[in-house]
Amino acid sequence: MNFLKRAGKSIIARKGKTLIMLIILTVIGSLVLSGFAIQAAAKNAGEEARKELGATVTLQVDRQKQMQERQASGERGRPEQQAISLKEIEAVANLSEVKSVNYLSQATATSSSVDPVTSESTETSDSEQKGPGTMEMPEGMTTPDFSLNGVTSMELINAYTEGTLTVVEGEALTTDSPENSVVIDENLASENDLKVGDTIKLKATTTKQSQKLTIIGLSSSTEATSDAGFQAAGFMDPMNQMYVSNDTLADFATEDGEVSVSSVVYTLKDPATIATFKKEAQLAASDLDWDTYMLDANDAAYQKMVGPIEQVASFSKSVVYLVSIAGGLILALLILLSVRERRKEMGILLAMGEKRSKLMGQLLIETFAVAAFAFLITYATGGMTSQFMTDQLLSREVTEATSTVATQTGFGGPGGPGQQMLNSIPQITEMTTNIDWVTLIQVMEIGSLIVFLSVLFPSVALLRMNPKEILLRED
């Protein structure tokens, strides 16, 4: 009888063992399919989160690390601002992943001809400003009226691309803007009867040098101005912030006129290259003190968004390994018991001249036939099973993540602007699994390997003996 027919008759004759094998293979297939589907969904969700956060990486001082080191040494207060020399980081801008670079610098200034926008709290008397949160300037230093933001281009600022900062009249500051150009807030311009084309004179609070600037644009910011920090220090209010080029800022805000920046924002071509860019940037700027500086790609926000799904993906990966190994062992044991029960059948067939390869092929066909039915059941129920597992696992991880408050914001500390921004970023609480061809092929590959190895080892152990040994052997 042809070994294919024998395989079919054997499946029908051994209904009980066939059903047990079908159940085992279906469970293995469902769990493995769910594991791969969850991993694929987690990867897609992570990519979407990266796209939502943007493909930007900021080089800046690691403020969190600075604060921790100061606290450990018993020091109090805010660390001094450290500038970044452009010479040390020029090579980073030439990396292939970089689309554009925005160098950012900061300074403060006063003016005898322009009055800052003030709130009721900043108009109170000095005696009323001695309460908590009041900012007192060191002796010999002038209280600033305005914040000066040195930029390469306003169009590359996150607030500008996100729409919270817009230019309502004139033009934004770019690399093509004339020298000594400035963009000021429309409210500041309105209170001082200023318009595009007018000239204002500012005096730096650090060097006492003055500079005449020409207004090329009026901006508007939707950033909240009711924060206590803005009230205590009016120059921090968005309406009192101005935008100039880094060269202009360096000319009168630094003693030597050399451009140094407080942070650098790199916009990458693809969010997927962020990890690669970080490694290459550290090699390109090897002279930079990487114990002091950091490359921040909104990592705290990203981790908050994808932290739970990464945990789910990690767990599902472990499930795939565990189920594959445990399921393979169980299936191998079942086939071993089946082979031992059919010892006489195998011995007689070998004695009649049947080839060992065909006997092993018969066992493989029997098992693969059952596996094929199990795969169809898995495919039919896989979407529902994987989604159910995803919902349960993600719900648990989100609950655990919610109870842990992330404090690594890179600036502001707990309760500060950075923490408030991080708290406003929603976690990913839903994840949709899709059964695609890639997932199905992965399941077929794993399933085929499990079936092949499960049949191979038990059958080889028996078929390596001659017919007489098989028929006379007693277990």
Side-chain angles (χ1 to χ4, degrees):
M1 183 186 297
N2 187 286
F3 75 98
L4 294 174
K5 292 183 179 179
R6 289 202 307 267
K9 290 181 176 292
S10 178
I11 292 173
I12 297 173
R14 297 176 172 81
K15 295 184 179 65
K17 286 185 172 56
T18 300
L19 181 60
I20 294 173
M21 188 179 296
L22 179 64
I23 293 173
I24 292 174
L25 287 170
T26 301
V27 171
I28 294 173
S30 297
L31 292 175
V32 172
L33 179 66
S34 298
F36 283 128
I38 291 172
Q39 291 177 55
K43 181 180 179 182
N44 292 334
E47 291 175 352
E48 290 300 319
R50 267 299 178 203
K51 290 179 181 178
E52 184 176 339
L53 291 173
T56 59
V57 181
T58 304
L59 173 62
Q60 60 188 3
V61 174
D62 191 341
R63 305 286 288 177
Q64 186 73 17
K65 185 177 180 180
Q66 276 190 331
M67 290 298 296
Q68 291 173 352
E69 290 176 349
R70 289 176 67 86
Q71 291 171 1
S73 62
E75 299 181 42
R76 299 176 65 101
R78 180 175 300 194
E80 293 183 4
Q81 183 71 35
Q82 297 189 38
I84 306 172
S85 173
L86 291 184
K87 294 179 181 179
E88 296 176 325
I89 57 173
E90 285 178 343
V92 179
N94 297 323
L95 295 177
S96 59
E97 294 87 359
V98 177
K99 179 181 180 181
S100 61
V101 182
N102 199 14
Y103 297 103
L104 308 178
S105 54
Q106 294 177 333
T108 54
T110 59
S111 177
S112 58
S113 59
V114 181
D115 296 323
V117 178
T118 58
S119 63
E120 291 183 3
S121 62
T122 56
E123 291 174 345
T124 56
S125 64
D126 291 341
S127 60
E128 293 175 327
Q129 289 184 356
K130 299 300 183 182
T134 300
M135 180 176 292
E136 296 185 10
M137 302 306 296
E139 185 177 352
M141 186 172 181
T142 306
T143 302
D145 291 329
F146 308 103
S147 291
L148 299 181
N149 299 301
V151 299
T152 303
S153 173
M154 286 182 64
E155 295 175 352
L156 300 177
I157 300 174
N158 287 338
Y160 192 93
T161 57
E162 292 169 2
T164 57
L165 175 67
T166 57
V167 174
V168 295
E169 187 177 340
E171 59 185 26
L173 188 75
T174 66
T175 54
D176 297 326
S177 299
E179 291 184 11
N180 300 330
S181 298
V182 64
V183 174
I184 66 174
D185 186 84
E186 61 174 345
N187 297 290
L188 179 64
S190 176
E191 290 207 3
N192 289 274
D193 295 325
L194 296 171
K195 60 183 183 299
V196 174
D198 288 348
T199 300
I200 60 175
K201 186 176 181 180
L202 298 179
K203 183 178 181 180
T205 58
T206 52
T207 64
K208 308 303 181 183
Q209 297 186 62
S210 298
Q211 182 77 285
K212 288 185 178 180
L213 305 176
T214 301
I215 301 173
I216 63 168
L218 303 181
S219 64
S220 175
S221 174
T222 58
E223 184 178 353
T225 60
S226 60
D227 186 86
F230 291 151
Q231 294 178 1
F235 68 93
M236 296 175 63
D237 192 303
M239 289 186 287
N240 291 324
Q241 294 191 18
M242 303 180 180
Y243 295 89
V244 297
S245 68
N246 290 299
D247 290 329
T248 299
L249 190 65
D251 284 342
F252 78 107
T254 62
E255 296 291 349
D256 55 7
E258 183 177 344
V259 176
S260 58
V261 296
S262 57
S263 61
V264 185
V265 179
Y266 299 96
T267 302
L268 307 186
K269 299 174 183 176
D270 187 350
T273 63
I274 285 178
T276 303
F277 169 75
K278 282 186 174 184
K279 295 178 181 178
E280 293 183 357
Q282 291 186 359
L283 294 174
S286 56
D287 293 336
L288 196 67
D289 182 9
W290 290 106
D291 289 332
T292 302
Y293 299 96
M294 62 178 290
L295 288 165
D296 181 21
N298 286 329
D299 292 328
Y302 178 76
Q303 287 304 320
K304 180 180 178 182
M305 292 182 71
V306 305
I309 66 174
E310 286 184 341
Q311 292 295 326
V312 171
S314 177
F315 179 78
S316 66
K317 187 176 182 179
S318 300
V319 167
V320 170
Y321 286 125
L322 182 62
V323 169
S324 298
I325 295 172
L329 292 175
I330 294 172
L331 187 62
L333 179 61
L334 181 65
I335 293 174
L336 177 62
L337 295 175
S338 177
V339 169
R340 286 185 174 180
E341 288 180 359
R342 300 167 64 180
R343 185 178 61 251
K344 290 185 178 180
E345 174 191 341
M346 300 294 179
I348 292 171
L349 289 171
L350 285 173
M352 293 174 61
E354 186 66 285
K355 295 180 180 179
R356 287 180 169 81
S357 59
K358 288 189 175 182
L359 290 179
M360 186 176 293
Q362 178 183 335
L363 294 174
L364 284 171
I365 289 172
E366 292 176 11
T367 311
F368 271 111
V370 177
F373 280 103
F375 178 79
L376 293 176
I377 297 173
T378 298
Y379 175 69
T381 61
M384 181 176 62
T385 303
S386 60
Q387 191 61 57
F388 176 78
M389 288 181 61
T390 300
D391 293 341
Q392 296 301 311
L393 292 172
L394 188 57
S395 176
R396 186 191 67 180
E397 293 298 335
V398 168
T399 301
E400 292 181 0
T402 303
S403 63
T404 304
V405 179
T407 58
Q408 188 174 354
T409 61
F411 63 98
Q419 185 64 51
Q420 293 172 12
M421 183 190 72
L422 182 61
N423 290 339
S424 68
I425 296 174
Q427 287 181 325
I428 297 178
T429 56
E430 294 182 0
M431 194 165 62
T432 303
T433 56
N434 295 311
I435 309 302
D436 54 17
W437 282 108
V438 175
T439 303
L440 290 175
I441 291 173
Q442 288 177 316
V443 174
M444 291 173 63
E445 290 175 344
I446 293 291
S448 299
L449 182 62
I450 291 174
V451 169
F452 181 77
L453 295 178
S454 299
V455 173
L456 178 65
F457 293 115
S459 58
V460 166
L462 179 66
L463 297 179
R464 64 184 176 81
M465 297 183 290
N466 59 52
K468 183 177 181 180
E469 289 177 326
I470 296 175
L471 293 172
L472 295 178
R473 182 172 178 178
E474 295 183 3
D475 294 327

